[in-house]
């Protein structure tokens, strides 16, 4: 019986040595931002874009836009600023940055809010490529960076968050053409 116990002890020691000597497998979660997670889940904040085009846009390569934003959270969000680049087929057609005056753009819980008209939106490729995609009635958000305060109360206070590099496909887009 003693040789069997010694054999078992040697076998157990062998397995423990193998387990302890095995290299550790490093398990590390990928570095995901809130924006990455939001994009992966398809929880887009932009529900609609309205682009205001004029004949002068062909010369100036600038338009105005209004963006409809949604809040899917059961708490108030206050947007302090946003930077948006939209386009089609991974090609940037319009880009802008907008800071909102105090207290910011307040979006009530589980609600939507419009930014109002944002002037001087740059058309990096000129107006003609934007005119060309108007029949599609949609644009992709290639990049959306938002400075937001979550859980604000009437636009005051809140937890500051940076939602960076949000992306969204096929955002409904309305085009308004003024010939003056």
């Amino acid at each position: 019986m003693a040789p069997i116990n010694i054999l078992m002890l040697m076998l157990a020691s062998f397995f423990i040595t193998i387990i302890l000597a095995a290299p550790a497998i490093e398990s590390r979660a990928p570095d995901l931002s809130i924006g990455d997670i939001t994009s992966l889940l398809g929880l887009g904040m932009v529900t609609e874009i309205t682009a205001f085009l004029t004949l002068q846009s062909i010369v100036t390569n600038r338009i105005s836009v209004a963006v409809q934003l949604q809040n899917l959270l059961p708490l108030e969000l206050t947007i302090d600023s946003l930077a948006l680049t939209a386009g089609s087929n991974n090609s940037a057609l319009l880009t802008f940055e907008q800071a909102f005056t105090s207290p910011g753009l307040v979006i009530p819980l589980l609600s939507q809010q419009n930014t109002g008209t944002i002037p001087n939106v740059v058309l990096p490729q000129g107006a003609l490529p934007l005119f060309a995609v108007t029949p599609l009635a949609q644009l992709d958000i290639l990049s959306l960076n938002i400075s937001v305060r979550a859980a604000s109360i009437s636009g005051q206070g809140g937890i500051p968050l940076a939602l960076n590099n949000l992306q969204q496909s096929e955002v409904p887009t309305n085009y308004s053409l003024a010939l003056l």
Side-chain angles (χ1 to χ4, degrees):
M1 287 289 234
I4 292 177
N5 286 340
I6 293 173
L7 183 61
M8 293 292 280
L9 183 60
M10 288 176 51
L11 190 58
S13 297
F14 175 72
F15 284 122
I16 290 172
T17 304
I18 288 176
I19 291 171
L20 293 176
I25 299 173
E26 187 175 318
S27 175
R28 183 172 172 228
D31 294 328
L32 293 175
S33 70
I34 295 171
D36 293 333
I37 294 167
T38 303
S39 292
L40 287 172
L41 293 175
L43 302 174
M45 287 192 68
V46 178
T47 61
E48 183 179 72
I49 299 170
T50 301
F52 302 101
L53 307 151
T54 65
L55 288 178
Q56 194 174 25
S57 299
I58 296 171
V59 177
T60 63
N61 293 325
R62 294 187 186 276
I63 62 169
S64 296
V65 298
V67 180
Q68 187 75 17
L69 299 169
Q70 70 178 343
N71 175 4
L72 298 173
L73 300 175
L75 45 95
E76 181 181 279
L77 295 178
T78 298
I79 310 294
D80 292 319
S81 66
L82 63 89
L84 183 141
T85 300
S88 184
N89 296 322
N90 286 326
S91 180
L93 297 175
L94 63 88
T95 185
F96 69 87
E97 292 183 23
Q98 176 70 32
F100 296 99
T101 57
S102 184
L105 178 68
V106 178
I107 308 175
L109 59 135
L110 303 171
S111 186
Q112 294 188 10
Q113 187 66 275
N114 193 288
T115 61
T117 302
I118 299 170
N120 295 315
V121 174
V122 176
L123 305 176
Q125 297 184 43
L128 295 180
L130 186 62
F131 282 117
V133 299
T134 56
L136 300 176
Q138 65 186 24
L139 288 172
D140 297 330
I141 305 295
L142 304 176
S143 177
L144 175 61
N145 299 321
I146 302 177
S147 175
V148 63
R149 287 178 283 124
S152 58
I153 299 173
S154 297
Q156 303 302 313
I159 302 162
L161 298 171
L163 302 177
N164 293 321
N165 203 30
L166 297 172
Q167 297 175 341
Q168 199 174 332
S169 297
E170 301 175 356
V171 175
T173 305
N174 299 311
Y175 298 92
S176 174
L177 178 60
L179 299 175
L180 299 176

